[in-house]
Amino acid sequence: MSLDPRPEIISLDPMNLGDVLHNLVQIGNAVGLEREAAAAVGNLKARIAHARSTAEKAVSASGGLRPNVAFVEWPSPLYVGGHWTPQLLRLAGATHPLNPAPSDDEGAGKSFAVEMRALVDSAPDCLIVAPCGLDLATTRKEVKQCLQKETLWFELDAVRADRVALADGDAMFNRPGPRLVDALEWLVWLLHSPDSPMHTMVSARAANGGESVLSDEGGAGA
């Protein structure tokens, strides 16, 4: 038995933010909503450009220093962010040394497991924990049940300085769709806004010659 009309199969396998935007156009074209898809993508590109400009100004104001961020995509075993997530961090004016994006237009390699010692040795200024597929309430439980049971967790300057942010990975980072732009805007706020509990990271490092330092400023702790 054949289907009429015959279905069209669209294969989507995005590796970076540009791929995600291209996929939106593909889907719009497939369902006869070309103009609507183009308008939506145009709006998303404008938001990306604004977020990127805001981040660039903040980095310039800090003398070119970028916050060193470790993005935890799974707590046990410990996985760091991959594909578009390091790209979002780069666009937000940060570095992600454990799995860096090669350029503003490229995603990084896939997420992979690291030892806790490697995370400590990377000396992140802040940690973002956003496990794949978990909401915020479940993420809090996983941090307590997995990460906080690791002795080395408490050797992280970011943990001792309360610079740990928990995010709803399922809603913001893990799925390739328009909400990745929401995630980018949130990252720019978290890392650079005067209203963010983490905005003093770079200025503190600058005063210490570019090294990570402990701070008394409050963060979004686990």
Side-chain angles (χ1 to χ4, degrees), residues 89-118:
L89 287 164
R90 183 183 174 110
L91 291 172
T95 63
H96 186 249
L98 290 173
N99 192 16
S103 73
D104 287 357
D105 298 322
E106 298 175 87
K110 66 180 181 180
S111 177
F112 57 86
V114 299
E115 297 293 332
M116 182 62 76
R117 171 51 65 188

Side-chain angles (χ1 to χ4, degrees), residues 107-149:
K110 66 180 181 180
S111 177
F112 57 86
V114 299
E115 297 293 332
M116 182 62 76
R117 171 51 65 188
L119 179 64
V120 174
D121 290 346
S122 72
D125 296 307
C126 81
L127 287 150
I128 299 173
V129 184
C132 184
L134 302 187
D135 61 18
L136 194 54
T138 309
T139 296
R140 289 194 182 99
K141 293 179 183 178
E142 290 294 314
V143 169
K144 292 179 181 179
Q145 293 174 2
C146 298
L147 296 175
Q148 290 183 344
K149 289 186 177 180

Side-chain angles (χ1 to χ4, degrees), residues 189-203:
W189 170 83
L190 180 75
L191 300 173
H192 304 296
S193 173
D195 297 330
S196 167
M198 299 194 190
H199 83 280
T200 58
M201 286 184 296
V202 169
S203 60

Side-chain angles (χ1 to χ4, degrees), residues 70-75 79-81 85 127-136 139 143 147 164-174 186:
F71 190 100
V72 176
E73 195 163 290
W74 195 253
Y79 271 73
V80 296
T85 299
L127 287 150
I128 299 173
V129 184
C132 184
L134 302 187
D135 61 18
L136 194 54
T139 296
V143 169
L147 296 175
V164 182
L166 309 186
D168 187 330
D170 188 48
M172 295 178 66
F173 288 98
N174 307 148
W186 178 78

